[in-house]
Amino acid sequence: MVFWLISCHAISAKFRSSQPITWMQWVGRHVTAFYVVQWLIIGNMATEIYQRERLIHCDLWAVCVITASSLIVRIWLCGK
């Protein structure tokens, strides 16, 4: 846990000067919406890909789900 805290702080500090808000800070501010969207995506896809995909594809799926969640939450928040 300490490793993740230090890593997130270092990443946030690195990008703080160049941008007013980092992606991680944005997700932190909208964590509930982000969680709900991820839950909906994973819940609907899990039955389709559960035993079909291999373990090596998990990283790719994680990146795809996080990217899709970010885009959906951003679109949803702009429409509010």
Side-chain angles (χ1 to χ4, degrees):
M1 196 65 151
V2 171
F3 169 75
W4 285 111
L5 181 64
I6 292 169
S7 298
C8 289
H9 179 70
I11 292 169
S12 180
K14 180 178 179 179
F15 293 107
R16 187 173 294 147
S17 62
S18 64
Q19 295 178 351
I21 184 171
T22 66
W23 175 80
M24 230 180 312
Q25 291 171 329
W26 179 81
V27 170
R29 290 181 185 167
H30 305 290
V31 69
T32 304
F34 200 80
Y35 173 76
V36 169
V37 169
Q38 279 188 335
W39 180 75
L40 290 170
I41 291 172
I42 293 169
N44 287 314
M45 287 178 42
T47 56
E48 282 293 320
I49 64 168
Y50 172 60
Q51 291 182 344
R52 191 173 64 184
E53 297 295 331
R54 296 190 178 168
L55 186 59
I56 197 163
H57 298 126
C58 287
D59 291 339
L60 178 62
W61 278 109
V63 169
C64 291
V65 168
I66 291 170
T67 302
S69 298
S70 297
L71 292 173
I72 292 169
V73 170
R74 188 170 295 260
I75 291 168
W76 182 70
L77 289 172
C78 287
K80 255 177 122 172

